[in-house]
Amino acid sequence: MTRAAVSCAVTTLDSIKRSLVGLRMPRALEVLDATIRRIEQGEIDGISALDEILTEELTLRENRRVKTALLVARLTTIKTLAGFDFAFQPSLDRERILALAELTFIDRAEVVHLLGPPGTGKSHLATALAVEAVKAGRSVVFSTLADLIASLAKAERDGSLRERIRYLCRAALLVVDEIGYLPVIPGGGNLFFQLVNARYERGAMILTSNRGFAEWGEVFGDPVVATALLDRLLHHAVVIQIEGASYRLRQHADLVPEHVRSKAVIIPPPAPKRRGRPPRKALSDHAAG
């Protein structure tokens, strides 16, 4: 190559780098020199080089998108289906969970219930499905029931409850974890009902609970509100029962009392028939509480 040709190539390369900077393609700029050397050594042709550079840049952008979306969804702890030990929970239908990972339940605005004793993997599966949804470009909000109701109660005090519910309804998938673990604050069941009612047949949900549906009256401190909740949450529902020992306690099972190790099977009752909205007066009475 003549000196003039070398000079022209350098000038062209500098121009490409300036263009990559202007286009905000940092990863493409980072791998450019190494890719040029591979072309010069005959390892790849120009078309393959261009494909590799663009793939590198696209991968970086996708990773950034997913990372940002996970933060927005409040998924601070990342779990995956690949990391779930299905062998430890033989009662769980692996194929059924993988079918949920295809996310068609989101398109159908269904509610997925994951029920089982503590430590059986409910939160892991809920988080993993939420991560799959984020990767697929679906908007997700993840919260424990206690935190969710606390945010709704604060919005009610601030006079912004409608806006808060509207925000939570924009997410394609709402995950509510740990139903039944902590007592619900007075009036919290009614606030949660308002959210569920707003999302009914409009947005998908994943709920995890260590309590059977028959106990929800106790969980929410109000049988009327619990019935109204279940009326909507079981209408278009997928109920997955996990019967097994705690995954977290598996290495120390000999130290755990027998009554704790026993399997606390949660059997969901049949889904109630759809009867429309609960009586207006009953809900307004509980909203005041």
Side-chain angles (χ1 to χ4, degrees), residues 32-261:
L32 179 62
D33 288 337
T35 305
I36 294 297
R37 285 195 295 271
R38 293 181 64 196
I39 294 175
E40 293 173 344
Q41 294 169 4
E43 296 180 11
I44 55 175
D45 58 24
I47 295 297
S48 298
L50 180 60
D51 179 55
E52 287 190 9
I53 289 174
L54 293 178
T55 298
E56 288 280 346
E57 181 65 33
L58 187 60
T59 299
L60 175 66
R61 294 190 180 194
E62 178 63 10
N63 289 341
R64 284 179 173 175
R65 182 196 67 78
V66 170
K67 183 177 180 180
T68 300
L70 290 174
L71 291 174
V72 171
R74 298 183 180 275
L75 283 163
T76 54
T77 301
I78 306 304
K79 302 288 186 179
T80 65
L81 291 177
F84 188 83
D85 188 358
F86 285 94
F88 188 77
Q89 299 296 5
S91 69
L92 194 60
D93 186 341
R94 181 175 183 273
E95 296 306 316
R96 195 178 184 194
I97 298 299
L98 294 181
L100 287 174
E102 296 176 3
L103 307 178
T104 55
F105 76 95
I106 295 180
D107 300 324
R108 295 190 295 266
E110 293 178 338
V111 180
V112 176
H113 297 268
L114 298 172
L115 305 177
T120 50
K122 303 181 299 298
S123 295
H124 185 136
L125 291 174
T127 301
L129 291 172
V131 169
E132 290 298 318
V134 167
K135 289 181 178 179
R138 308 298 184 93
S139 55
V140 176
V141 172
F142 187 103
S143 177
T144 63
L145 177 65
D147 287 345
L148 180 63
I149 289 179
S151 74
L152 292 172
K154 181 179 184 301
E156 185 179 43
R157 292 192 301 270
D158 296 342
S160 58
L161 180 60
R162 181 177 298 181
E163 290 74 15
R164 181 61 181 169
I165 289 178
R166 187 179 296 120
Y167 165 76
L168 292 170
C169 285
R170 285 200 294 266
L173 174 63
L174 173 63
V175 182
V176 184
D177 196 22
E178 298 181 357
I179 295 176
Y181 282 79
L182 295 174
V184 173
I185 62 174
N190 184 270
L191 291 171
F192 185 50
F193 170 80
Q194 291 183 57
L195 172 60
V196 168
N197 192 49
R199 288 188 63 90
Y200 174 65
E201 295 188 326
R202 297 184 182 92
M205 299 177 67
I206 297 177
L207 308 179
T208 75
S209 180
N210 66 330
R211 308 284 290 273
F213 297 134
E215 301 176 82
W216 276 34
E218 178 185 345
V219 169
F220 289 95
D222 191 320
V224 175
V225 171
T227 299
L229 281 167
L230 291 172
D231 188 47
R232 284 149 179 77
L233 293 174
L234 292 176
H235 187 210
H236 305 289
V238 177
V239 180
I240 295 178
Q241 174 70 49
I242 308 176
E243 303 170 8
S246 170
Y247 184 79
R248 290 187 289 268
L249 295 178
R250 68 195 185 283
Q251 295 179 336
H252 306 287
D254 57 329
L255 302 178
V256 180
E258 178 62 31
H259 72 280
V260 177
R261 275 184 279 155

Side-chain angles (χ1 to χ4, degrees), residues 13-36 52-54 56-57 60-61:
L13 186 58
D14 288 340
S15 176
I16 291 173
K17 290 181 177 180
R18 287 193 298 271
S19 296
L20 293 177
V21 171
L23 291 169
R24 297 182 180 179
M25 299 176 67
R27 183 56 182 167
L29 180 63
E30 184 179 343
V31 301
L32 179 62
D33 288 337
T35 305
I36 294 297
E52 287 190 9
I53 289 174
L54 293 178
E56 288 280 346
E57 181 65 33
L60 175 66
R61 294 190 180 194

